[in-house]
């Protein structure tokens, strides 16, 4: 048995595992050091965790787009980050108009719903257009081609929206009912965070339900398992793919508004980093897997929020928070190297009810 | 099912809407306004107007062609309808713009744009004229569809050349100012902005005629010469090219040398990425990391600011190259087992990690943090410091020449073939005995070295290096130019660099829309011509397998028919 | 397609090569030059002007315009800075009118607020021998790359908004002859901010956040040193990325030191996020928040919403400008460009043009037929010796290293929905 083992593991594997392990060790040491120093109060860790969860909720909804499309087409929709951006960046104009007319203040909930609807529709539209124009003609092409197309589409959309709406920032109006926090036993629970987490969770439930319970969902799972056989079974593959993109787009649009609740300033560039992080989340949880996307996103959100303060600070790194994105990227690299199937495994079709 | 009649008109309607939307978007994004200052034909055809009629024209050509079974009059009508619909959409938006302040949302819906839409006239006559012009554009496009393929090809090419010449007028000015004798010709062809009407007509006729006459044969025969003669011809060609390249800086002056320096840098990096993506098929989106590592190594080893070492540029160069190669290996190791999409994302992650680390306060004592590293040495030969744009051009040229040569030799070597085997089908390649680990690592290492070289020369050019410039966009720039030029093809890289890096320098208005056009070009190329502008033969075969099979069946069938 | 491309490239290269055979090896001429003008026939010997200038002379023919250029950031996320400066310069040109009977041709390049943008832009300008002076750059990173080229070409460069100290520091490698600026050095802004914090607000413990940009980091350094010299302490230093949205972690870290003021001289939108989220961070609810001139723009009010109340920002003191500023300049800006000034260095650009044109008028030798000869070294010498020039931004005196500003830094405070913010100090 040992010999079998020796034959399968190469030097490169050993080196990589050694590097990975050492990074892990360093991280743990850093975490212990920070906790020992008692620099941060419990309330602070709680606050950070809450905002991490909220961020995770947003990532989850974006990750849904990545995971669904990958499950069906086996490709990463690079342009999904711009699908995400297009929704809130367009809906902000509606929000501004509603605020100006006073409707926003008198009917905040209705206004929010309207804004979310517009955002979701725009994102959905962009996603469907993307599929139709850029991806459908390239269904059978070698792997590299649709990937490059996706990258090109991503840049095109980014600068297209920049051209349309300008390179400056737009801000969502303040929402008085969402401001402030509830005090729960000395800990602060911010209203915005709660709304985001609950909304994200509900949306995920809805989408999971669609994938698991409806006929269309069944068709989606069938296509993701084997496209040709599904077509033979009478499933309209094209339509299924369009629906997949549409769902991903809707979800990203909703995510966009939730993101804007927490971070009300939007510009054309806002999609890039959340896009990569959402993809990391999707892979972390197991790409192709809806609950996996949620789980991965939550984990990523919390780790990202706590990370710099927890690990890096303890190691004595100056301005540790500058390296916040570094934490996310390192997680990305780690997951893809050591466990590309993610926490919950890979298949969309194999998700249990 | 659907009546043939109705579907043609429906097609025309749809196409018209699409054309209208495209023209509208071109306007709202700001391209029409930005390009308006530039004339193609002096005062007759500003570039902005051209952009507005481009969509209906092109779509009319293709829609009318598809309606091949209809009468010529019907096809013309199709074009007319298409143009009208397109114009109607534009007019509708313009009218909405009168009532609603579109500018609060779409920042480019400005009075200037409205002016351009309405040809500078009052609202009603302007809009009517716009309808008319769009309709005419559609009509003209449809009429082109009626021509024979050959004639149409000739006309289209002539139009393209016309537009190009008009755009490059400013470039010509610089050339002409140096060469007296050509001035009268120039004056006759060009006006203050763009081409003269007479000149435009002349160019159109001449080029159309040329293309038409040559377009008779589908395939071009390659002259077969005895090998010795061929070698002499090759040598002479190479010699001429070398002489021209060496003479460019003093001829062109500092401005163009600067442009050529940028082009040279991207050729260097492009050739490197070409090996990774083009030869070996490994999509590396973190390529900027190696460029950064090369530049920073040069900085760390030669700058007295950090004070660690004080080498000269030439002394530090091998160090920079070795460090870059090593970085390539380190990047390559973990990603050996990954394919396609995952590989791309991981490399992107690496690229960002390198940038964040270079920018961080943490590594500031060693890498300079956000202040970067300054006072980087420039290459010195004896007492001559190669510091200004023209001198550095030669350094870039030398670098490009060496790198191109290495790439060219590698392509036909065993290693090169191993790369291409892995690109085409990794599992089969491994089954055939190609060691995947070593091959991929070599690809990364060589690509990284080339990029490191580019970074080192750039560090010398700017005598400084800042982490802010090592962004993901640089990787995208390099990727775009090799994709558009032709993946895996060395002349393709050069063409791509000239097109994507040289043109924006020369067409300043274009710079604002640079990435928009890059993105669109990438998508467009992948949809229509994935092998690039100057493709590598094998790649073209890979990507068009089925079409070529069908084509080769044709002559055989034709020969059979002829024989009978 | 291949053949077409080859043909095109060969054609281009051949024509360029043939160009070498004719014409002297002069540098590339101005691209804007209309081809319609006839070359002046060779004139018989005028009283020949001998150019004795150490660098060289610019000769402006009787009907030719004087060519002044700009190198500013006019596209991209920092475009308000450059466009605003250019607007100020254009107002100055309109106000001044023709110089010695010659019109002024004002063209320029986009510097992109980075070294890679600044260098090619600088090279292009340096290659044009008709340019007398350059108004620029907008950003200090552009400047470091462009100044050597422009200085080597003998031209004069006056910046309306470079604030990095090293550009006019004696002996510094980034300080070049021929470079001037009408904007303050950050040494002054940082010190003023520290003064405000220590003496006016009375705080003793501060924290800083920068965004990894040259400008912010340098300013934070100056502020910190000045504050410590006054006797205060620095409890924490943080950094964020310019596109970062979630500031909770860095604010949590800063909060552990319990600072009384957080200084973050960064830009939008990061500044807005910090301001908003600081109010929600445990321990920072009462902390003073302060930014610098990068956060002096209408965007800040819009982007920060209700949280902007009480936000301090240091900036050149607009009220210290002469009366002419509010009475003449601002209305003219509104008239010419349709909006109120969009950034803060427009008046500095106005003065930069003023200085340049005054200098040209001072050193130009006018021929009988109206030809101007402008000595480049003479131009520099004139500028270095400027004393008490009555500019819009104050009384300008140029130091021997290029600092011409009469800097008065003020601190402003934002109120919800109001722009510009209210001046509260000194």
């Amino acid at each position: 048995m040992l010999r079998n083992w020796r034959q399968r593991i190469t030097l490169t594997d050993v080196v990589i595992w050694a590097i990975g392990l050492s990074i892990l060790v360093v991280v743990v040491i850093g975490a212990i050091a920070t906790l020992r120093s008692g620099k941060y109060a419990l309330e602070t860790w709680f606050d950070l965790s809450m905002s991490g969860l909220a961020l995770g909720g947003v990532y989850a909804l974006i990750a849904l787009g990545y995971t669904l499309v990958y499950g069906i087409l086996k490709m990463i929709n690079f342009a999904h980050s711009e699908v995400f951006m297009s929704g809130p960046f367009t809906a902000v104009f509606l929000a501004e108009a509603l605020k100006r007319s006073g409707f926003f203040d008198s009917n905040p909930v209705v206004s929010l719903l309207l804004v979310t609807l517009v955002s979701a529709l725009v994102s959905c539209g962009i996603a469907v257009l993307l599929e139709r124009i850029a991806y459908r003609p390239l269904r059978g092409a070698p792997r590299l081609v649709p990937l490059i197309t996706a990258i090109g589409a991503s840049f095109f959309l980014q600068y297209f929206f920049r051209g349309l709406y300008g390179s400056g920032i737009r801000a969502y109006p303040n929402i008085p009912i969402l401001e402030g926090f509830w005090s729960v036993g000395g800990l602060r629970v911010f209203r915005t965070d709660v709304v985001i987490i609950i909304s994200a969770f509900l949306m995920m439930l809805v989408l999971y339900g669609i994938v698991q319970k409806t006929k269309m969902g069944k068709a989606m799972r069938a296509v993701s398992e084997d496209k040709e056989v599904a077509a033979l079974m009478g499933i309209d593959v094209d339509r299924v793919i369009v629906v997949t993109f549409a769902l991903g787009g809707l979800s990203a649009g909703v995510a966009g508004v939730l993101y804007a609740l927490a971070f009300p300033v939007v510009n054309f560039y806002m999609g890039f980093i959340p896009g990569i992080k959402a993809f990391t989340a999707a892979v972390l949880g197991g790409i192709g897997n809806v609950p996996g996307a949620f789980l991965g996103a939550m984990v990523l959100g919390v780790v990202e929020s706590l990370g710099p303060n927890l690990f890096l600070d303890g190691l004595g790194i100056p301005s540790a928070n500058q390296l916040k994105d570094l934490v996310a990227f390192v997680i990305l690299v780690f997951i893809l190297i050591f466990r590309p199937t993610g926490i919950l495994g890979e298949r969309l079709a194999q998700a249990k009810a | 099912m659907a009546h043939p009649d109705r579907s043609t008109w429906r097609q025309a309607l749809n196409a018209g809407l699409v054309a209208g939307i495209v023209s509208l978007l071109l306007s709202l994004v700001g391209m029409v306004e930005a390009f308006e200052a530039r004339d193609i034909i002096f005062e007759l055809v500003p570039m902005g107007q051209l952009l507005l009629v481009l969509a209906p024209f092109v779509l009319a050509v293709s829609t009318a062609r598809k309606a091949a079974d209809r009468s010529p009059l019907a096809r013309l009508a199709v074009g007319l309808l298409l143009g009208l619909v397109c114009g109607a959409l534009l007019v509708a938006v313009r009218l909405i713009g009168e009532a609603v302040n579109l500018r609060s949302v779409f920042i480019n819906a400005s009075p200037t744009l409205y002016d351009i839409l309405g040809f500078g006239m009052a609202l009603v006559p302007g809009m009517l004229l716009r309808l008319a012009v769009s309709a005419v554009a559609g009509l003209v496009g449809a009429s082109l569809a009626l021509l024979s393929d050959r004639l149409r090809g000739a006309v289209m090419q002539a139009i393209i050349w016309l537009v190009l010449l008009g755009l490059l007028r400013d470039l010509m000015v610089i050339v002409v100012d140096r060469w007296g004798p050509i001035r009268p010709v120039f004056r006759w062809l060009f006006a203050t902005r763009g081409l003269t009407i007479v000149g435009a007509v002349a160019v159109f006729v001449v080029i159309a005629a040329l293309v038409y006459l040559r377009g008779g044969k589908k395939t071009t025969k390659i002259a077969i010469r005895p090998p010795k003669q061929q070698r002499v011809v090759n040598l002479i060609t190479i010699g001429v090219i070398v002489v021209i390249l060496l003479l460019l800086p003093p001829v062109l002056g500092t401005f163009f040398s600067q442009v050529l320096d940028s082009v040279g840098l991207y050729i260097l990096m492009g050739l490197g990425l070409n090996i990774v993506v083009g030869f070996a098929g490994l999509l590396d989106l973190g390529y900027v990391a190696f460029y950064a590592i090369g530049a920073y190594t040069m900085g760390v080893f030669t700058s007295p600011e950090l004070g660690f070492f004080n080498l000269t540029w030439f002394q530090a160069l091998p160090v920079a190259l070795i460090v870059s190669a090593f970085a390539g290996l380190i990047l390559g190791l973990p990603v050996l087992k990954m394919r396609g999409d995952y590989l791309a994302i991981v490399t992107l992650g690496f690229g960002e990690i390198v940038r964040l680390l270079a920018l961080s306060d943490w590594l500031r004592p060693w890498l300079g943090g956000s202040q970067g590293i300054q006072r980087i040495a420039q290459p010195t030969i004896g007492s001559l410091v190669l510091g200004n744009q023209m001198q550095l051009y030669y350094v870039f040229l030398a670098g490009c020449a060496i790198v191109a040569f290495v790439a060219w030799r590698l392509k036909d070597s065993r290693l090169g073939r191993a790369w291409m085997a892995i690109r085409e089908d990794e599992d089969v390649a491994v089954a055939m005995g190609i060691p995947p680990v070593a091959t991929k690592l070599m690809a990364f290492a060589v690509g990284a070295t080339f990029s490191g070289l580019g970074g080192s020369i750039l560090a010398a050019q700017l005598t400084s290096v800042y982490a802010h410039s090592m962004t993901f966009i640089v990787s995208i720039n390099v990727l775009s130019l090799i994709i558009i030029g032709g993946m895996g093809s060395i002349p393709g890289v050069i063409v791509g660099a000239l097109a994507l890096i040289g043109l924006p320098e020369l067409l300043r208005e274009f710079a604002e829309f640079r990435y928009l056009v890059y993105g669109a070009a990438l998508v467009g190329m992948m949809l229509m011509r994935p092998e690039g502008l100057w493709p590598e033969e094998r790649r073209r075969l890979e990507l068009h397998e089925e079409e070529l099979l069908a084509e080769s069946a044709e002559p055989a069938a034709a020969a059979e028919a002829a024989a009978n | 397609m291949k053949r077409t491309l080859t043909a095109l490239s060969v054609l281009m290269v051949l024509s360029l090569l043939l160009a070498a055979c004719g014409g002297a090896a002069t540098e590339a001429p101005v691209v804007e030059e209309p081809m319609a003008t006839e070359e002046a026939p060779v004139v018989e010997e005028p009283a020949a002007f001998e150019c004795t200038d150490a660098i060289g002379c610019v000769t402006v023919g009787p009907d030719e315009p004087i060519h002044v250029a700009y190198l500013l950031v006019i596209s991209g996320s920092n475009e308000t800075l450059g466009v605003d400066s250019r607007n100020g310069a254009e107002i100055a040109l309109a106000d001044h009118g023709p110089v010695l009977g010659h019109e002024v041709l004002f063209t320029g390049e986009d510097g992109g607020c980075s070294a890679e943008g600044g260098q090619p832009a600088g090279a292009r300008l340096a290659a044009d021998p008709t340019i007398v002076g350059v108004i620029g750059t907008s950003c200090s990173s552009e400047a470091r790359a462009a100044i050597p080229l422009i200085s080597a070409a003998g031209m004069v460069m006056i910046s309306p908004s470079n604030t990095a100290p090293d550009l006019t520091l004696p002996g510094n490698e980034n300080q070049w002859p021929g470079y001037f600026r009408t904007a303050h050095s950050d040494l002054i802004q940082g010190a003023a901010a520290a003064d405000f914090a220590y003496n006016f607000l009375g705080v003793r413990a501060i924290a800083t956040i920068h965004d990894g940009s040259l400008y912010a980091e340098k300013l934070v350094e100056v502020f910190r040193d000045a504050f410590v010299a006054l006797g205060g302490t620095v409890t924490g230093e943080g950094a964020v990325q310019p596109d970062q949205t979630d500031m909770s972690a860095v604010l949590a870290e800063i909060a552990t030191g319990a600072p009384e003021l957080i200084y973050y001289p960064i830009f939008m939108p990061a500044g807005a996020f910090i301001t908003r989220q600081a109010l929600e961070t445990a321990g920072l609810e009462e902390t003073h928040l302060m930014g610098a001139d990068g956060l002096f723009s209408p965007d800040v009010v819009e982007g920060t919403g209700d949280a902007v109340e009480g936000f301090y920002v240091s900036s050149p003191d607009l009220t210290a400008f002469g009366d002419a500023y509010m009475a003449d300049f601002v209305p003219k800006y509104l008239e010419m460009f349709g909006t109120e000034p969009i950034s803060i260095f427009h008046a500095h650009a106005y003065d930069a043009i003023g200085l340049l044109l005054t200098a040209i008028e001072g050193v130009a030798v006018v021929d009988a037929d109206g030809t101007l000869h402008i000595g480049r070294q003479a131009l520099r010498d004139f500028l270095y010796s400027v004393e008490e020039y009555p500019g819009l931004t104050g009384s300008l005196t140029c130091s021997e290293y290029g600092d011409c500003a009469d800097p008065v830094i003020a601190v402003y405070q934002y109120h919800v929905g109001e722009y510009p913010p209210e001046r509260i100090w000194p």
Side-chain angles (χ1 to χ4, degrees), chain C residues 2-366:
Chain C
K2 242 193 235 189
R3 296 182 89 91
T4 318
L5 280 169
T6 339
L8 180 58
S9 349
V10 169
L11 208 79
M12 274 177 65
V13 171
L14 265 182
S15 58
L16 294 170
L17 189 62
L18 286 172
C21 302
T26 49
E27 298 292 286
V30 182
V31 169
E32 309 282 328
E33 192 173 58
M35 283 304 289
T37 52
E38 283 296 316
E39 311 126 289
V42 178
V43 183
E44 52 311 296
E45 279 291 307
F49 171 79
E50 287 285 320
C51 184
T52 54
D53 193 277
I55 304 177
C57 299
V58 182
T59 305
V60 184
D63 291 323
E64 287 172 8
I66 300 179
H67 193 180
V68 171
Y70 64 83
L71 208 181
L72 303 166
V73 51
I74 50 181
S75 73
S77 47
N78 293 314
E79 65 188 10
T80 47
L81 181 60
V83 169
D84 184 62
S85 301
R86 186 179 58 183
N87 293 347
E90 287 181 357
I91 296 179
L93 288 171
D95 275 353
H96 190 110
V99 173
L100 297 172
H102 290 254
E103 293 294 324
V104 176
L105 174 64
F106 192 50
T107 66
E109 297 283 335
D110 182 0
C113 201
S114 69
E116 290 90 59
Q119 205 199 47
R124 276 195 283 267
L125 293 178
D128 183 345
T130 66
I131 295 180
V132 178
V134 178
I135 305 295
T137 63
S138 295
C139 301
S140 308
S141 42
E142 288 168 325
R144 290 202 182 99
I147 294 176
L149 298 166
I150 297 194
S151 178
M155 300 174 191
V156 156
M157 183 144 122
I158 309 182
S159 170
S161 58
N162 288 152
T163 55
D166 54 339
L167 295 171
T168 54
L169 219 48
N172 192 294
E173 80 253 4
N174 288 319
Q175 190 268 326
W176 289 77
Y179 173 77
F180 304 86
R181 62 173 162 202
T182 52
H184 57 273
S185 157
D186 273 333
L187 287 173
I188 301 180
Q189 187 176 184
D195 185 6
F196 167 79
Y198 196 87
N199 293 320
F200 184 77
L201 287 183
V203 302
R204 294 291 176 265
I206 55 144
T208 63
I209 302 180
H210 71 81
D211 66 355
S213 69
L214 282 164
Y215 154 83
E217 226 201 336
K218 204 66 194 183
L219 200 41
V220 156
E221 205 182 292
V222 172
F223 176 77
R224 201 179 49 221
D225 294 342
F227 193 77
V228 167
L230 284 172
T233 59
V234 178
T235 66
E237 289 169 20
V240 298
Q241 298 291 334
D243 55 3
Q244 192 167 323
T245 54
D246 184 7
M247 308 292 183
S248 53
V250 70
L251 287 171
E253 193 192 342
I254 298 264
T256 62
E260 297 168 85
L261 175 136
I262 308 180
Y263 185 62
Y264 42 106
I266 60 183
F267 300 94
M268 288 296 284
F273 287 130
I274 292 186
T275 315
R276 282 177 183 266
Q277 291 170 29
L279 294 175
E280 296 176 352
T281 309
L284 293 179
E285 295 93 335
E286 305 293 318
T287 315
H288 297 290
L289 301 171
M290 183 169 181
D293 54 85
L295 287 173
F296 193 110
S297 81
D299 273 356
V300 176
V301 178
E302 201 191 315
T304 321
D306 292 343
V308 84
E309 183 67 39
F311 178 54
Y312 299 112
V313 90
S314 67
S315 150
D317 187 351
L318 297 173
T319 63
F321 298 166
D323 297 318
Y325 179 70
M326 284 312 290
D328 301 328
F329 183 83
V330 175
K332 195 160 224 162
Y333 196 107
L334 194 59
E335 187 195 320
M336 275 175 80
F337 303 106
T339 113
E340 302 242 328
I342 53 181
S343 185
I344 46 177
F345 292 105
H346 38 269
H348 302 81
Y350 185 96
D351 283 343
I353 288 277
L355 278 177
L356 186 60
L357 295 184
T358 311
I360 293 176
E361 285 171 346
V363 309
V365 174
V366 188

Side-chain angles (χ1 to χ4, degrees), chain B residues 192-532:
Chain B
T192 319
R193 299 188 311 268
L195 298 158
T196 58
I197 301 181
V198 176
V201 169
V203 167
F204 182 83
V205 167
V206 165
I207 298 204
L210 278 176
V211 176
Y212 185 74
L213 291 172
R214 116 113 21 122
K217 332 166 197 72
K218 235 238 35 75
T219 52
T220 46
K221 292 231 199 85
I222 303 173
I224 309 288
R225 291 196 203 88
K228 214 148 151 233
Q229 235 193 51
Q230 186 65 35
R231 209 176 305 154
V232 170
V233 169
N234 280 349
L235 274 176
I236 295 184
T237 325
I238 294 179
V240 168
I241 294 180
V242 167
V243 167
I244 292 179
L245 284 176
L246 286 177
L247 282 184
L248 279 179
V251 167
L252 298 179
T254 314
F255 170 60
F256 282 107
S257 298
Q258 169 72 51
V259 175
L260 288 173
D261 284 348
S262 302
V263 171
L265 172 69
Y266 275 93
I267 290 180
L268 262 181
M269 298 218 289
L271 286 170
L273 189 61
N274 198 27
I275 290 181
V276 181
V277 177
F279 292 176
L282 304 162
L283 185 55
D284 182 356
L285 290 180
Y287 199 60
V288 68
F290 306 123
Y291 156 77
I293 290 174
Y296 264 95
T297 314
M298 189 52 79
V300 167
F301 279 88
T302 62
S303 168
E305 219 176 65
L306 289 175
F308 300 133
F309 307 89
N310 216 331
L311 304 176
T312 69
W313 191 87
F314 281 108
Q315 286 171 341
L317 187 63
V319 180
L321 293 179
I322 292 176
V323 172
S324 302
F326 194 63
L329 289 176
I330 296 184
L331 172 73
L333 268 180
V335 306
L336 287 173
K337 296 202 186 60
M338 296 188 201
R339 311 271 181 111
D341 304 30
Y342 280 10
L343 176 65
I345 299 278
V346 169
T347 50
L348 192 153
F350 272 129
E352 286 292 289
I353 289 177
V354 167
R355 180 180 69 85
L356 287 172
L357 286 176
L359 192 54
S360 70
D361 279 351
W362 175 35
L363 295 178
R364 189 150 185 250
W366 299 281
L367 295 180
S370 70
Q371 301 289 329
I373 306 179
Q374 291 188 289
R375 290 201 288 168
I376 297 181
Q378 292 183 310
T380 325
I381 303 184
S383 60
L384 173 66
V385 177
L386 297 172
N388 72 30
Q389 324 296 102
M390 293 204 263
Q391 293 161 338
L392 280 167
Y393 166 84
Y394 292 109
V395 181
F396 274 115
L397 187 64
C400 288
I402 296 174
V403 160
F405 180 72
V406 171
W408 178 54
R409 295 309 294 155
L410 276 177
K411 188 168 157 195
D412 287 328
S413 74
R414 196 156 178 177
L415 185 57
R417 289 181 209 275
W419 284 332
M420 286 183 231
I422 291 200
R423 176 184 80 200
E424 286 191 42
D425 193 329
E426 187 169 335
D427 297 316
V428 170
V430 173
M432 299 295 272
I434 293 178
V437 172
T439 318
K440 285 189 184 177
L441 284 181
M442 276 305 286
F444 278 112
V446 174
T449 314
F450 288 1
S451 186
L453 176 62
S456 307
I457 305 182
L458 182 76
Q461 182 185 17
L462 294 174
T463 67
S464 61
V465 58
Y466 297 100
H468 304 102
S469 22
M470 314 299 181
T471 56
F472 175 54
I473 288 243
V474 175
S475 302
I476 292 295
N477 273 344
V478 184
L479 184 71
S480 304
L481 72 91
I482 66 172
I483 299 288
I484 292 177
M487 254 189 293
S489 141
I490 294 173
V493 170
I494 299 179
V495 167
L498 279 171
L500 290 191
I501 310 293
L503 274 184
E505 300 280 335
L506 300 175
L507 292 179
R508 238 71 64 55
E509 299 92 347
F510 178 44
E512 176 88 12
F513 307 103
R514 191 176 180 146
Y515 296 107
L516 188 75
V517 176
Y518 279 13
L522 275 182
V523 176
M525 284 304 266
M526 286 297 108
L527 287 175
M528 291 186 293
R529 203 182 152 99
E531 68 274 13

Side-chain angles (χ1 to χ4, degrees), chain A residues 12-40:
Chain A
T12 50
D13 285 333
V14 171
V15 169
I16 294 177
W17 275 93
I19 296 178
L21 221 63
S22 45
I23 293 183
L24 218 58
V25 164
V26 165
V27 159
V28 169
I29 291 179
I32 295 177
T34 312
L35 291 173
R36 279 253 296 261
S37 75
K39 187 173 171 190
Y40 298 100

